[in-house]
Amino acid sequence: MAKKKSEEHSGADANDSDYNEEPNFDDPPNFVDNISDEDLLGDMLAQRPSEADGVESVVVVDNMPKVEPSRLEKLKSVINKLFSQCGEIVNVVYPVDEEGKTKGYAFMEYKTASQAEDAVKKLNNHRLDKNYTFAVNLFTDFQKYENIPEKWEPPTVQPFKVQSDLYNFINDPDAYDQYCVAAETAPNCVQVGFWQNTLPEPNELETRERFTDTFVKWSPLGTYVVTFHKPGVAIWGGSSFQKIQKFPHPGTQFVEFSPCENYLVTYGPTPTGQKIIIWDIRTGAEKRSFVGDGMSVLSMFRWSHDDKFVARMGENSVHIYETPSFYLLDLKSIKISGIRGFSWSPTDNIIAYWVEEQNQIPARVTLMEIPKKREIRNKNLFHVADCKLHWQKSGDYLCVKVDRYSKLKKDKKELDVKFLGMFYNFEIFHMREKEIPVDSVEIRELILAFAWEPIGNKFSIIHGEPNSSNVSFYEVNKGVKPSLVKRLEKKSCTHLFWSPRGQFIVMANLTMGTFEFVDTTNDYIISASPDHFRASEVEWDPTGRYVVTGVSSWKVKEDTGFNMYTFQGRIIKRTILKNFVQFLWRPRPPTLLGEEKQKEIKKNLKKYYPIFEQKDRLRLTRASKELLEKRSQLRETFMEYRNKRIAEWKDQKSRRVMLRGHVDTDNLETDEVDEEVVEFLVKEEITLLE
């Protein structure tokens, strides 16, 4: 028994030794650990301290001027003024060398990380002057740049996404133009329909409900259409008018495109004035913004024809900005004392501006070449009240309309000058001739309108009394003064609208809604004189074949719509549209054919006549066939509906007879019916007469 107890005791000690012995966590021989720390402890490793902790709000500014200690305070003042626009700066460090000279970079700590990110976004690549352009980065970005792999790997090929063809509208084989019609369906809700001007009836391409809040506008080359909304504006394009880009500028009232459609300028009100933003159309990025005085929606920017420059007028100066940086040209404005107006040439980088009279110094019109800032022509003017600059579309001529005072001294002893009314001069600059000669045309009557022929060498003027004015046509030729070629007397017109191709002009009275179509190459014969009561707009199509007049609901509330005419004034289409707002032809980009090729086509145009006539006959035959088929289908639909209602009427006869006291009234003769007049009191009113 004792032995048994001893064995039991020894067994218990053995079991206790198994529990008291420390476990062995060593890996067995030949063990391969294929689990990384990130897979095993990823959540804990993500919380470990980083070298960048606490520096998320620090930015590094490189490419700064290296200055001596004596100029350091001035540099700090400039840098602090610039970077404090993005937020509150907590600390700034400018590293210096042994001599105390800055090393060309600095560290800036903002109060929050979002302010630091805003500084990088706004001030990276900011041009301090012509020698220094900042490179601004977040301090935390350096860790990203340090971990660049040594072996370069090509990027993965992304699947091709079919983009919308923005220029498909010019690929139509018959060269039909497009237009849009806008009508207000509810307050701040405008429906826009897009049409193709096919023959004999236009073809509807797309109709969008609630497309814009106010109105629409085409870009200069017809690539985009812009719509207005409370948060901002959007541009649309392609075959089905998909949204291309949106620009957040709340309350935008007016927009303008650059001539090459690279940039968009939006104008919107602010509590302190008007905010203007210049956007890059392709990227949607904000390039630069301005705050102007007043709430006017008129354009304050003028673009050069090639989008290389944009300019605005300041106080006694012109500010010209280079694209795409939008820095001032040569980092300074052009000082021009007394400047009152300026305009770019439509084909060359030349600006024309005029300066008012100051201290016995005459007024002056100047032509300046950009970017050289070289004055290429000056013209002094006397007794000037106002000037208007009118460039011809081809850039061949510039007309300066000058309003002048007629003056007379009553007595030689008196120093005061007495002014007796106004007279007008038209100063014509010949831009393509050597030394740019200037001719003058004087008119003593009130000037109501002026218009250049877009392609050609003629201009027209409305002058005289508003109710009985004269329309004069002048021709400009090389080496001779402008000559009067025709005067149409006693015309009640207020506006002039030249065809985009020249030759034809519409003289319009937008007060009464009367129009006169004139062919300037055929002895200025008036080919037609239609009227469109209360019409307030005239639109030529880009080819000069059609003219549209419109009555907008912005002016009147009844009989709104538009009429379409040929270039000779023959009516084609009358459209009455409730709450019609605007009609706009889609612009076309300039032709890619050279002048020689265009001349060749015009010379051999008779060769193409049979082809065009054959197409017209086929189109009319096809149209007649389609019209007959459409009428036949409408008749079948009507007869089907009529037969259905007749059958329904016959089926209800028994119930009709029962409801009418068992009297069949279907065949009742009206001669046997006695007519009885019953009178009864409807309302009684008592009025006391004093």
Side-chain angles (χ1 to χ4, degrees), residues 275-292:
K275 185 174 183 181
I276 304 99
I277 304 177
I278 302 178
W279 308 85
D280 187 299
I281 288 180
R282 288 174 175 80
T283 63
E286 178 181 330
K287 303 299 293 185
R288 186 151 185 179
S289 63
F290 303 84
V291 176

Side-chain angles (χ1 to χ4, degrees), residues 296-523:
S296 173
V297 298
L298 296 178
S299 169
M300 62 178 290
F301 285 94
R302 303 286 185 269
W303 291 90
S304 64
H305 74 286
D306 54 4
D307 281 12
K308 288 185 178 180
F309 305 99
V310 61
R312 67 184 179 93
M313 189 171 67
E315 185 176 356
N316 295 323
S317 63
V318 173
H319 311 291
I320 300 179
Y321 303 90
E322 295 180 280
T323 62
S325 64
F326 288 92
Y327 297 135
L328 282 172
L329 179 63
D330 297 333
L331 299 178
K332 58 183 179 180
S333 302
I334 302 175
K335 300 298 182 182
I336 305 172
S337 178
I339 183 171
R340 292 286 303 276
F342 79 100
S343 179
W344 285 95
S345 165
T347 55
D348 304 284
N349 284 336
I350 296 174
I351 62 169
Y353 65 86
W354 76 279
V355 176
E356 64 182 353
E357 294 185 66
Q358 293 179 337
N359 300 326
Q360 304 301 319
I361 300 175
R364 185 178 77 257
V365 176
T366 302
L367 300 177
M368 178 181 288
E369 192 177 27
I370 302 298
K372 296 180 181 179
K373 301 180 182 179
R374 181 171 63 92
E375 295 184 0
I376 58 177
R377 189 65 166 90
N378 285 291
K379 175 69 175 179
N380 290 333
L381 304 170
F382 298 90
H383 315 309
V384 174
D386 193 17
C387 286
K388 291 290 187 296
L389 306 173
H390 301 277
W391 284 96
Q392 190 217 25
K393 184 179 179 181
S394 302
D396 297 335
Y397 305 100
L398 167 66
C399 175
V400 181
K401 173 182 169 288
V402 185
D403 301 354
R404 288 181 168 177
Y405 296 111
S406 296
K407 70 173 185 176
L408 177 67
K409 286 186 178 180
K410 282 190 173 183
D411 191 344
K412 293 183 179 180
K413 297 181 180 179
E414 294 182 5
L415 298 177
D416 294 337
V417 178
K418 307 299 182 182
F419 291 99
L420 302 176
M422 303 281 293
F423 72 100
Y424 305 90
N425 270 44
F426 293 91
E427 307 292 337
I428 309 298
F429 291 72
H430 298 250
M431 300 300 299
R432 306 302 181 198
E433 298 183 31
K434 186 178 180 180
E435 297 183 355
I436 312 181
V438 181
D439 292 324
S440 181
V441 176
E442 181 178 318
I443 294 181
R444 291 282 174 175
E445 296 178 310
L446 177 66
I447 304 299
L448 302 178
F450 173 92
W452 276 108
E453 184 181 20
I455 299 177
N457 60 342
K458 293 188 287 292
F459 63 87
S460 53
I461 306 170
I462 303 177
H463 54 93
E465 296 299 324
N467 295 329
S468 181
S469 57
N470 301 320
V471 182
S472 297
F473 293 87
Y474 288 83
E475 193 172 273
V476 184
N477 292 300
K478 184 176 180 180
V480 297
K481 294 187 64 176
S483 58
L484 176 65
V485 293
K486 188 68 175 180
R487 173 173 291 180
L488 303 177
E489 298 182 348
K490 296 182 179 180
K491 298 294 180 182
S492 60
C493 54
T494 59
H495 295 75
L496 299 168
F497 299 94
W498 281 96
S499 164
R501 307 301 302 172
Q503 182 178 347
F504 299 96
I505 187 173
V506 175
M507 302 187 303
N509 187 324
L510 297 185
T511 304
M512 301 173 59
T514 58
F515 307 91
E516 292 181 302
F517 289 73
V518 179
D519 184 355
T520 62
T521 60
N522 189 14
D523 198 25

Side-chain angles (χ1 to χ4, degrees), residues 613-624:
E613 290 175 356
Q614 183 180 3
K615 283 188 175 182
D616 290 340
R617 285 194 297 268
L618 290 174
R619 188 183 298 113
L620 292 174
T621 303
R622 191 186 315 116
S624 301

